[in-house]
Amino acid sequence: MRPRVTAIVVAHNAAKPLGRTLDALGAQTWRPHRTVLVDIKSRDNTAEVIAEFEPDLAIQVDERASFGEALAAAVAKLREVEEEDKTRSQEFGSAGEPPNDWLWILGADNVPDPDALEELLDTTERNPSLEVTGPKVVRADDPALLVEYGESVAPNGESVRLHEDALDQGQFEHLSDVLGVAAAGMLVRRDTWERLGGFDLGLSAVDDALDFCVRTWLSNGRVILSPGARVESMAELAVGTSRIGRHTRALTRYRIERTAVLHRDLVWANRFEFFFLWLMLIPTAFGRGIMHLLRKQPGRILPDFRAALTVFFGRTRLGAARRQFRATAKHPIGSLDQLLISPTEWRKMRANRRDEYRAIMQQGRDRYNFITGGGGWVFLFAVLATLVLLFPLIRSATIAGGALLPLSGSVGELWANTGYGLRDAGGGVGVADPFAFILALLGTFTFWHPSLAIVLVWFAAIPLSAVGAWYLMARITIRPWLRALGAIAWMASPMLFAALTEGRLGAVLVHIALPWMFYAGFAASRSWASAATAALLAVLVTASSPMLLPALAIIWFVSVLIAGRGWVRQIFIPIPTIAMFLPLMVSQWNRGRPLAVFADPGLPYAYDPTTGWQTALMFPSQSLGGWPQFLGGFGLDVDVPLAIGVVLAPLALFAVYGLFTRGWRVSAVGICIAALGVLTAALGAGTALTTLAGETIFLWVGPAQSLAYLGIIGAAIAGAAFLGPLRVPAVILGLMALVLLIVPIAPSFLAGTAKVEASDGRTLPALVDAQGQAASQLGTLVITPLEQNEMHVHLERGSGLKLNEFSTLATTSLAPSDTTEKLAEISVGFLSQGATNPTAQLHELGIAYVLVSPSESGGAALEERLITALSTNEALEAAGDTGTYGMLFQVINAAEQPTDPELAQRLDFSNLQNELGRLMLIVQAVILIFVVLLALPTGGLEARVRTRAARGARPWERLDEGPATDYDPLNDDTVRLYAEATGDHIDAAPQGGRRG
């Protein structure tokens, strides 16, 4: 009997590829008897192309119709036409047998070879039980490469294209029975199509043909491949339908694929499995969300939930699909196990894919090799320099001095100062500085002795700064010596040593973190892990120095504009910082001091900042790193600012020269960042948000200068890479001259001139410290004479003030609190001529000791007068001279906590008692945990390859490698070369892979 074939071609906005397909139909050696063209309401001239071809039947369906719906409309129209024509010929079937009628399904981009239909029909003649057959689907741009040749299902339930991206060399000619074939070029018996109801309309874009083939097998049909038939496909560039096509975003495609998997699993499941799988849809989505987070694919979380909800609420017509499946199935789904991909085959396929990934990662792998790239020598030099320069601190467990104080003695106390809680010894309650989280994390690392963490930061500051700068320079140049010089210049920067000697912990952390933050930021638009890492480092930098918030916000905004399609990852970077700072911003705004959010956290410590243009000299204070005294010791009368400017001049010249080379992008960006840093430093030097003992405290400008210095070093390296023959001596002399800037200040610890020194961890006399550790509310009134008629009064509780107990809400407050006013009245009362007995007031505030600190200025007479008055006061008794701490007096019959119940209750307030405070902590913790999980390097080899493929070659990464070249994607040569290098056999044409 002679078969009849009806070709059905579906098109949507595909006028150009459709023309080639229709031409190929007309050139078939076995012409289809009828041709039906379905237009999914195209907006281009597809309808004109169809009309010009003059098909036997042309129909148009709704724009949102799926491929399966378009085919269903075509078959329904065929049936309608045939019912009108009652004289349908029986020549296509013998008496008592169904007509030998076939449907040939094609998409607009499926161009068949001239003998494709004839080869398909030959397969049907050789296999009488055959009901569905499919051709080889090859790439339109490279017909020797298979798009797919058969379909199956992996052990995890995902559909798999067999022999995807494989080179067709006739090695698959022996294959026949498969679980499914692609819709492109599928030849299906018409009565089978009508009996099974066509494609499942719940599978609107993915796995519709696979599901139909499974139902064909279960209804006693057979699905076979036709190796002689070939149909071209545009693969990922296929026009598709409005549901899915070449313009479909990757996450939308993933949602469609995931929806198809869930729908298929539920349709194919028995009653018990269906109920269990249906109940587990939402919980499984939560689990997969965590998995996506760990795999650095957070964008898939919402599509996964949307897919689960779509299937859960029956939006895929799940009930109708299950009824249709049960009505036609004559065998259980388990009867097809031999056609599924076995676990062993699946492991082999994944192993082949991993081999390909390793071949990709081999390319350019030496670029960031720290040891062979000179980084090891830089690190060794930094470690030796640290051991020499910080030798007096080597055996210290605690350091203090300048702006540095020890941390609280337990991890619990550190974390108690985060969130919303007690902010000062007077009972003030409010939100914590983000810096409190940094201190809590640092102390947790050395939980047995939290203050040891600060010592480790001091010793790690120079090496970590050097390593971070080396990796950042590696983004710019491949020349090891240029990277090394850039790293040495950064670790020997004046602002780092100034911060180390003055105890500026926040500035030290900023200097360490800045190069790492920019290193991660370079890849943030292409990698979620890098974006998350940059976000965490941004929290560290801004929490340690809030004055950098505006500058970093500008840099971030520009990065979003130039990120291209990676703007979503760039948008994500400031979210953790906003979550950490928003409560403080709101609090300062409500207090009428919105700018106070930029105040330096920690202990306020006065200094004289460099101002105006001198901030560009990279020294934070007017002492200029001790250069005036250093040169004066040799009897040299030199204009120090001018001399420093001369030393910095080569750096600026290299940066400017870079603007006229191929590295102009990096030089321009570096110069802009440097200008932004200098501007921030100049503004900060004139901004005072804090006062201490009547003295104005200006913002510490070191972090802003670090930002400027990093920018100018990067710009200089980009320019130095193109200096030509004089490059080596010029750069060595120019950059190494920068090391001279720290000559006077570097040996401060050895000379004993540094403010920071080893400490026993106490901030109050031993007697008070011992009692305060047992009674946390025990108060000590500290009076410090300043001038003849001035004194500074403050209250410390427990074992004394620790660095983590300071809050900018307290240090930036303009009006004194009620407790402060009471302390002032008591202190002044001690000096009154009449005998006063403030015992009741002292008990009310919980004050057990009064300490008169030594005066550092002209308050000696006032100090002597205070000690005399306190010695004769009947409320106090002398506890002795404590040396450097001053004269200590003990309150008679002192209480270990305030007798004022309201004050005692406020002092007992924890950061978990307030509902708003708990919510704030939960939100901040969830966001930080989310970002940490996203930043952890758990994505595996596939994630790294995906990042590399997305990154490609950026101009700044190949500045001195000759002309920039594009990233070389995986091909047979790279796989072969990798195989030869490792001695392993790798199949360059993998036997399968995930759909999409």
Side-chain angles (χ1 to χ4, degrees), residues 296 298 475 516-517 519-539 556 566-577 930-932 934-936 947:
K296 311 300 176 288
R475 293 281 194 194
W516 293 104
M517 184 185 73
Y519 175 79
F522 267 110
S525 62
R526 296 155 287 164
S527 165
W528 277 109
S530 297
T533 302
L536 290 175
L537 291 170
V539 171
W556 166 79
W567 65 270
V568 175
R569 297 182 182 88
Q570 291 286 355
I571 286 288
F572 167 80
I573 291 177
I575 292 178
T577 300
F930 177 88
V931 179
V932 168
L934 195 57
L936 289 176
T947 300

Side-chain angles (χ1 to χ4, degrees), residues 626-638 640 744:
W627 270 107
Q629 296 82 0
F630 181 77
L631 295 176
F634 292 97
L636 298 176
D637 185 14
V638 178
V640 176

Side-chain angles (χ1 to χ4, degrees), residues 609-644:
T610 53
T611 57
W613 68 270
Q614 290 192 1
T615 56
L617 299 179
M618 302 304 158
F619 284 96
S621 66
Q622 292 185 12
S623 65
L624 297 178
W627 270 107
Q629 296 82 0
F630 181 77
L631 295 176
F634 292 97
L636 298 176
D637 185 14
V638 178
D639 188 336
V640 176
L642 179 61
I644 295 175

Side-chain angles (χ1 to χ4, degrees), residues 889-942:
F889 297 87
Q890 186 172 10
V891 178
I892 298 175
N893 298 324
E896 291 187 345
Q897 62 180 13
T899 58
D900 182 355
E902 182 180 351
L903 177 58
Q905 182 179 5
R906 292 204 304 271
L907 293 178
D908 275 334
F909 189 87
S910 74
N911 58 352
L912 297 177
Q913 288 181 349
N914 181 269
E915 182 177 349
L916 181 61
R918 288 196 301 271
L919 178 62
M920 183 183 75
L921 274 176
I922 291 173
V923 172
Q924 290 176 335
V926 168
I927 291 176
L928 288 179
I929 291 173
F930 177 88
V931 179
V932 168
L933 290 176
L934 195 57
L936 289 176
T938 56
L941 183 61
E942 182 178 358

Side-chain angles (χ1 to χ4, degrees), residues 352-637:
N352 289 339
R353 181 61 67 179
R354 283 194 297 270
D355 287 338
E356 295 178 357
Y357 290 159
R358 292 190 184 98
I360 295 176
M361 297 306 295
Q362 279 294 112
Q363 303 178 37
R365 192 173 182 178
D366 293 336
R367 182 180 185 88
Y368 299 102
N369 193 310
F370 185 71
I371 301 300
T372 61
W377 291 108
V378 173
F379 179 74
L380 180 61
F381 176 72
V383 170
L384 292 176
T386 299
L387 293 177
V388 172
L389 297 177
L390 302 184
F391 182 78
L393 304 181
I394 284 181
R395 302 185 63 181
S396 303
T398 306
I399 56 176
L404 188 63
L405 288 176
L407 299 178
S408 294
S410 70
V411 173
E413 293 175 359
L414 290 174
W415 287 104
N417 284 290
T418 62
Y420 184 89
L422 187 67
R423 296 281 78 90
D424 60 60
V429 175
V431 298
D433 299 324
F435 192 58
F437 283 87
I438 306 300
L439 295 177
L441 285 171
L442 284 175
T444 303
F445 288 136
T446 56
F447 58 90
W448 62 94
H449 186 67
S451 294
L452 179 61
I454 298 180
V455 181
L456 297 180
V457 169
W458 247 242
F459 277 92
I462 298 175
L464 285 182
S465 297
V467 174
W470 185 92
Y471 273 103
L472 182 59
M473 296 305 111
R475 293 281 194 194
I476 301 172
T477 177
I478 63 170
R479 303 181 187 278
W481 62 276
L482 271 180
R483 301 178 185 183
L485 290 176
I488 291 173
W490 176 251
M491 79 176 190
S493 57
M495 64 288 298
L496 173 60
F497 282 87
L500 290 172
T501 57
E502 292 201 20
R504 308 281 183 174
L505 175 60
V508 173
L509 293 175
V510 168
H511 197 84
I512 295 173
L514 271 178
W516 293 104
M517 184 185 73
F518 280 100
Y519 175 79
F522 267 110
S525 62
R526 296 155 287 164
S527 165
W528 277 109
S530 297
T533 302
L536 290 175
L537 291 170
V539 171
L540 173 60
V541 170
T542 53
S544 301
S545 180
M547 71 179 297
L548 293 180
L549 278 168
L552 294 183
I554 294 173
I555 295 173
W556 166 79
F557 180 74
V558 174
S559 71
V560 172
L561 295 180
I562 65 176
R565 292 193 297 178
W567 65 270
V568 175
R569 297 182 182 88
Q570 291 286 355
I571 286 288
F572 167 80
I573 291 177
I575 292 178
T577 300
I578 293 173
M580 300 303 295
F581 272 93
L582 187 59
L584 182 62
M585 290 179 178
V586 173
S587 296
Q588 294 287 21
W589 179 276
N590 291 336
R591 296 168 71 232
R593 298 206 69 191
L595 294 181
V597 74
F598 301 118
D600 292 327
L603 172 65
Y605 189 72
Y607 82 110
D608 294 324
T610 53
T611 57
W613 68 270
Q614 290 192 1
T615 56
L617 299 179
M618 302 304 158
F619 284 96
S621 66
Q622 292 185 12
S623 65
L624 297 178
W627 270 107
Q629 296 82 0
F630 181 77
L631 295 176
F634 292 97
L636 298 176
D637 185 14

Side-chain angles (χ1 to χ4, degrees), residues 199-206 243 259-260 263 315-318 321:
F199 288 169
D200 183 350
L201 300 183
L203 299 169
S204 59
V206 175
R243 302 289 186 93
T259 303
H263 178 84
R315 297 292 300 275
T316 59
R317 311 176 193 178
L318 186 59

